[in-house]
Amino acid sequence: MFDFAVFGSLFLTLFVIMDPPGITPIFLALTAGRPAKTQKRMAFQAVCVAFGVIAVFGLLGHQILDYLHVSVPALMIAGGLLLLLIALDLLTGKTDEPKQTKDVNVALVPLGMPLLAGPGAIVSVILAVQKAGSVATQMSVWTAIVAIHVVLWFVMRYSLLIIRVIKDGGVVLVTRLAGMMLSAIAVQQIINGVTQVIRSS
């Protein structure tokens, strides 16, 4: 029987971690200057990449980390450093240059990973799959994973309507705001990783 408690718990956890409303300004900033059709495609690609990464780690997470001799805190710190580099580009306006934005598919990195499929989401899914003992519970876990990715796609897909309202000046403002938010997320992720290293030592 479908376990609604497991579904609800994991969905809410992933909603907080992956933060569909919070990803909107970052998505708009990273895809600014591209045709609307391209932006819609990138929203879909980002969600597909995130789902693929989450699914792989959900099925083989512990084996992958053990094989690479990588701890979860190390994964968190590495993801935080990557996000921090991207945040600095947004804050300094480097992403305004065509050579920086036009030829790079940001749907893969950083949108798909590590923004959406970040260490927090990966760890949550690994633990949820590990705890799911029955087929019904497994179905609940994977339904929650699919559901949150549908929500993410819907939010990014229709956030493009905001661009029509805020125009070019608004996009610049959103870009700087996204850079500030992303830098805070990155620093917090690094702090969390370092804290876990200290606690385990």
Side-chain angles (χ1 to χ4, degrees):
M1 186 176 178
F2 190 84
D3 194 328
F4 286 98
V6 171
F7 169 84
S9 176
L10 181 58
F11 181 85
L12 288 175
T13 300
L14 292 177
F15 188 91
V16 171
I17 294 172
M18 301 177 89
D19 192 14
I23 202 68
T24 300
I26 298 172
F27 171 74
L28 292 174
L30 291 174
T31 61
R34 294 179 171 86
K37 186 176 180 180
T38 301
Q39 289 176 310
K40 292 174 185 177
R41 186 177 71 247
M42 293 179 80
F44 181 73
Q45 288 175 337
V47 171
C48 287
V49 169
F51 179 77
V53 172
I54 292 290
V56 168
F57 275 95
L59 295 170
L60 304 168
H62 278 293
Q63 293 90 327
I64 293 173
L65 294 180
D66 289 344
Y67 177 77
L68 296 174
H69 303 289
V70 173
S71 65
V72 172
L75 187 65
M76 295 176 71
I77 294 170
L81 289 173
L82 178 59
L83 288 181
L84 188 58
L85 291 174
I86 296 159
L88 291 175
D89 277 348
L90 290 174
L91 283 170
T92 57
K94 288 183 179 180
T95 53
D96 293 338
E97 301 172 16
K99 66 178 182 179
Q100 293 282 345
T101 58
K102 304 296 185 182
D103 301 327
V104 178
N105 189 354
V106 295
L108 305 180
V109 177
L111 277 175
M113 183 178 180
L115 273 176
L116 297 181
I122 289 172
V123 172
S124 298
V125 168
I126 290 175
L127 294 177
V129 171
Q130 193 177 30
K131 291 178 182 177
S134 64
V135 174
T137 310
Q138 287 280 357
M139 284 180 59
S140 304
V141 167
W142 288 101
T143 303
I145 293 171
V146 171
I148 190 62
H149 283 85
V150 170
V151 171
L152 284 165
W153 171 80
F154 184 85
V155 169
M156 288 192 293
R157 167 69 173 75
Y158 290 99
S159 67
L160 298 176
L161 298 175
I162 298 173
I163 295 178
R164 299 178 185 177
V165 178
I166 63 177
K167 307 298 182 182
D168 291 341
V171 169
V172 174
L173 178 62
V174 167
T175 300
R176 300 299 182 266
L177 177 62
M180 185 174 65
M181 291 171 55
L182 194 56
S183 61
I185 293 171
V187 171
Q188 186 60 57
Q189 194 163 292
I190 293 171
I191 291 172
N192 292 343
V194 172
T195 301
Q196 288 194 27
V197 170
I198 295 173
R199 285 177 180 173
S200 61
S201 61

